[in-house]
Amino acid sequence: MRTLTFVVGTGRSGSTALSGIVNAHPDVLSLNELLSSVQSRGFPEGPVTGEGFWRLLADPNPLFERMIRSGAPMPEFVYTRRPGRFSTGTTGIPALSLMVLPHLTDDPDGLFDELEKEVRGWPARTAAGHYEALFGLLCARFGSTAVVERSGYSSDRVPLLRRAFPRARFVHLFRDGPDCALSMSRHTGFRLIFLMREILARTGAERVEELTGEQVRSLPPELSPLLEERFDPALVLDRELPVAGFAALWSEIVVRGVAHLGGVPAPMRTTLAYEDLLDRPREELARLAAFIGVEPLPQWLEAGAARLDAGRRGASLRLPPAELAALREGCAAGERALAEGRGQAALGNG
């Protein structure tokens, strides 16, 4: 029986490297950033036609399009580095094409066309039913027996995923708090998330999409342009943002994520620390393979170990003492939650 596993976490935790390693296993269908690509609009309630489901996959992600248009793309946007027939300036880049399909094939446009021919004719069913059918179609296409979806900034989606896919397994991937928060502070996507959260805090709105014209006009000039179709990338890339603020963000995400995962039956969840992966790559990858239901092939273990970069560890230790102390203080709540979570689930117990 085909297995389905979601690797969830804060992002900036070695998750992109892990996607590459998992993708190299011949029995795994690695869906890189599928949830990030479709976001919450990807799970509408009620029956969805095949045409409607295809639009969820094929319509461009508005925020990602704005980032590309403004010259502030994320490094995860694989399609823009090897562009095909789609572009932000003309057609828009389909959500599925930006990060998911280039991870699977060197011909993402060709695979996009293959999927379109099938999916648009599917009967109406729930969005979850469509995703299951899509997973099956792709597994048949690539000869896979296990599906692993990995998106950054994804732990808040655990309740939604549990409802949609009751038999899904979950891997909580995390990294040393100060190192992760420092990496967030240097990443385009997380810097934009930080600024969008500031916009919501200033206006009292719950979602950016719900901002009124009056609320937008009340924002200072360094924030309001970020809501336009094109913004000055310097507003995101060059602003001085407090690193300690990213530590607080990291803790907030981790605390909620651990709580969400605590509701998942123990055999269906596990944890994976990035530092453990660096220290014991073959052992950790072997246990991960067992959890997702594939063989820990020796050649795959060796290749996976070779892809991991131990030099990424301890970056926060090079900060001035005061900055490092502020990072550690901001990460303390998240670190406590992780310690509790690790006590509840160990890799390979599933």
Side-chain angles (χ1 to χ4, degrees):
M1 185 176 69
R2 184 179 73 237
T3 63
L4 172 62
T5 303
F6 291 98
V7 179
V8 299
T10 61
R12 311 311 298 159
S13 302
S15 50
T16 301
L18 185 63
S19 273
I21 293 170
V22 169
N23 189 44
H25 195 292
D27 297 326
V28 175
L29 175 72
S30 176
L31 297 177
N32 177 57
E33 304 278 11
L34 174 62
L35 295 180
S36 295
S37 299
V38 299
Q39 297 185 337
S40 57
R41 69 183 180 91
F43 289 86
E45 295 184 3
V48 182
T49 64
E51 175 66 29
F53 180 65
W54 181 247
R55 293 267 53 88
L56 297 175
L57 304 176
D59 286 349
N61 180 305
L63 175 59
F64 294 163
E65 290 284 289
R66 285 172 49 217
M67 294 175 73
I68 297 169
R69 190 181 302 116
S70 301
M74 293 196 294
E76 291 83 355
F77 294 169
V78 185
Y79 191 90
T80 56
R81 300 202 298 270
R82 298 195 304 266
R85 74 172 186 266
F86 301 111
S87 73
T88 297
T90 55
T91 58
I93 301 173
L96 198 64
S97 296
L98 192 57
M99 296 180 283
V100 180
L101 298 187
H103 186 69
L104 295 173
T105 175
D106 290 332
D107 181 20
D109 290 353
L111 182 54
F112 180 89
D113 294 339
E114 284 182 41
L115 294 175
E116 181 177 19
K117 290 176 184 176
E118 292 282 342
V119 174
R120 293 181 71 173
W122 283 352
R125 53 190 157 193
T126 63
H130 279 298
Y131 284 112
E132 291 280 14
L134 178 66
F135 301 157
L137 180 62
L138 287 169
C139 280
R141 168 71 162 72
F142 290 99
S144 309
T145 58
V147 179
V148 177
E149 196 283 338
R150 195 284 311 170
S151 288
Y153 196 52
S154 55
S155 53
D156 275 339
R157 297 192 177 103
V158 170
L160 167 65
L161 296 172
R162 287 190 65 206
R163 291 192 299 271
F165 309 104
R167 295 190 300 275
R169 308 171 188 190
F170 293 87
V171 176
H172 186 199
L173 176 66
F174 54 85
R175 179 184 181 188
D176 172 77
D179 279 359
C180 192
L182 180 61
S183 181
M184 286 177 170
S185 75
R186 297 168 175 173
H187 184 268
T188 307
F190 278 97
R191 291 175 68 84
L192 189 56
I193 287 170
F194 188 95
L195 294 168
M196 290 297 173
R197 285 164 56 91
E198 183 177 344
I199 287 173
L200 295 179
R202 285 175 175 265
T203 59
E206 291 189 7
R207 301 175 64 223
V208 171
E209 296 81 4
E210 297 170 358
L211 287 168
T212 66
E214 183 178 352
Q215 288 173 321
V216 172
R217 288 189 293 273
S218 72
L219 293 169
E222 67 270 18
L223 289 176
S224 57
L226 296 176
L227 301 170
E228 298 173 1
E229 283 304 304
R230 186 187 297 270
F231 56 81
D232 181 352
L235 294 173
V236 176
L237 303 178
D238 297 343
R239 279 189 65 180
E240 288 289 334
L241 297 177
V243 177
F246 289 91
L249 173 61
W250 179 85
S251 274
E252 182 182 325
I253 299 169
V254 167
V255 168
R256 287 201 308 265
V258 169
H260 292 323
L261 288 160
V264 178
M268 308 301 288
R269 58 180 160 87
T270 192
T271 59
L272 177 58
Y274 179 60
E275 288 73 24
D276 290 346
L277 196 56
L278 294 178
D279 290 339
R280 302 181 299 277
R282 293 162 190 82
E283 293 87 344
E284 293 296 288
L285 289 175
R287 291 192 287 162
L288 177 64
F291 182 77
I292 64 180
V294 296
E295 290 295 319
L297 305 173
Q299 185 175 359
W300 174 74
L301 294 176
E302 291 301 316
R307 294 184 67 149
L308 293 166
D309 178 12
R312 292 185 61 196
R313 187 208 318 257
S316 62
L317 299 178
R318 295 188 283 273
L319 291 173
E323 282 191 53
L324 178 57
L327 268 184
R328 285 176 170 163
E329 182 179 355
C331 290
E335 297 283 9
R336 286 194 298 270
L338 282 177
E340 294 171 5
R342 295 190 80 175
Q344 297 169 2
L347 187 61
N349 284 347

